[in-house]
Amino acid sequence: MKKTLHLIFWLIVIGIVLLLFSGLAVGEKDWQRQREDLVGEVEAMVASTRDYLQQEALDKRVLDALRKVPRHEFVPANRRAYAYSNQPVTIGYGQTISQPYIVAIMTEMIKPEPGHKVLEVGTGSGYQAAILAELGVDMYSIEIIEPLAEQAANNLKQTGYTAVHTRSGDGYYGWESEAPFDAIIVTAVASHIPPPLIKQLKPGGRMIIPVGSAFMNQYLILVIKGADGKVTTRQILPVSFVPLTGTH
Ligand code: SAM
């Protein structure tokens, strides 16, 4: 009798463990399916904005990074249902994780290559930094809101992007001790292109930055520093970003 009870007990335990694991597996499969659908939406949006972007499609490596990075791990638990909708998601402190289409085109515009040293201004949730880290770049990211910087560092650690360097501070001034950078990505709108960032860009480097007024008339601007140090800019498309804050 005692032996039978023992057996039943262990069968129940094994049953519960199996149930838990199959639940997790279904969850991950579902996230993957949602990411695949999202990639389809981003591709369609890129095609419909081809005249602005001056290209029909994104680099497959960028799409593969979108397929791989678990965006749901970068949004607050109560917003996970929206993690794979092609829209910005609130992350607290009045800030947002950018729309996936915007993340994708900004990533594309700086032409990241493995081994490039890249600076991001505006870590937010850490998602954009994770996408770039997935592409093999040596990633540096600055966030002005300290609790967000901590949260992002934690998100990056939890998802395995442990090599991303993060710190809290005013990104208007860049990260001088680590400069120069092959590319710079600014994820908050500035009234002008910060001169310290231009200075910290390598000759031949690219910067993508939204420029305009805080809540209207903003454009994504691609800045290219020529091999001779000469800077040229190209207006890409109208966008809507939270403001670049700080004392500058
Ligand atoms: N890239 C982020 C992501 O993947 O989640 C989203 C960035 S959110 C649109 C813009 C971020 O820029 C906010 O977290 C905001 O606090 C930050 N920010 C604003 N001004 C800043 C500054 N001067 N220096 C650094 N970060 C700044």
Side-chain angles (χ1 to χ4, degrees):
M1 179 66 179
K2 211 173 163 197
K3 250 188 174 174
T4 317
L5 279 176
H6 213 227
L7 186 68
I8 291 174
F9 170 78
W10 280 112
L11 282 176
I12 290 173
V13 170
I14 291 168
I16 291 173
V17 170
L18 283 177
L19 258 178
L20 276 175
F21 271 97
S22 64
L24 282 180
V26 168
E28 183 42 41
K29 258 206 177 133
D30 193 46
W31 294 130
Q32 269 176 25
R33 187 189 50 75
Q34 291 191 41
R35 280 198 290 276
E36 197 55 52
D37 291 349
L38 174 65
V39 168
E41 278 179 50
V42 169
E43 283 184 291
M45 206 164 168
V46 166
S48 68
T49 51
R50 62 171 78 81
D51 292 345
Y52 286 113
L53 306 177
Q54 295 180 10
Q55 62 188 79
E56 299 263 329
L58 298 178
D59 186 328
K60 183 178 176 302
R61 292 176 312 134
V62 174
L63 296 173
D64 284 346
L66 285 184
R67 279 188 182 100
K68 184 140 181 230
V69 178
R71 194 171 190 256
H72 64 278
E73 303 278 6
F74 291 84
V75 302
N78 63 353
R79 302 254 171 233
R80 282 194 166 177
Y82 309 102
Y84 296 107
S85 56
N86 189 19
Q87 60 184 37
V89 178
T90 307
I91 53 171
Y93 306 93
Q95 304 304 324
T96 53
I97 173 172
S98 306
Q99 180 190 16
Y101 160 75
I102 293 289
V103 172
I105 62 170
M106 288 179 83
T107 304
E108 176 87 19
M109 294 290 156
I110 58 166
K111 297 202 179 306
E113 292 294 337
H116 271 181
K117 198 168 184 181
V118 177
L119 173 69
E120 176 188 32
V121 174
T123 320
S125 66
Y127 176 70
Q128 171 76 75
I131 290 280
L132 284 161
E134 187 57 45
L135 289 163
V137 311
D138 183 16
M139 193 62 209
Y140 292 77
S141 187
I142 310 178
E143 169 57 51
I144 203 163
I145 300 175
E146 212 166 324
L148 269 186
E150 275 169 30
Q151 197 171 290
N154 205 34
N155 291 343
L156 288 161
K157 202 169 137 204
Q158 295 291 322
T159 47
Y161 296 101
T162 50
V164 176
H165 310 268
T166 58
R167 78 171 172 85
S168 178
D170 187 348
Y172 179 91
Y173 301 101
W175 194 324
E176 187 135 32
S177 60
E178 292 296 340
F181 297 96
D182 293 286
I184 299 178
I185 185 161
V186 183
T187 65
V189 67
S191 60
H192 57 276
I193 303 167
L197 297 185
I198 293 179
K199 200 169 156 221
Q200 291 176 28
L201 197 59
K202 273 187 194 169
R206 298 161 82 90
M207 170 168 29
I208 188 86
I209 176 171
V211 177
S213 60
F215 296 103
M216 52 191 290
N217 296 335
Q218 307 177 5
Y219 274 88
L220 206 53
I221 305 288
L222 176 64
V223 180
I224 299 179
K225 196 185 228 184
D228 56 357
K230 197 169 157 247
V231 173
T232 54
T233 59
R234 188 185 122 204
Q235 187 171 295
I236 308 290
L237 81 172
V239 283
S240 174
F241 274 86
V242 292
L244 188 78
T245 56
T247 52
H248 50 270

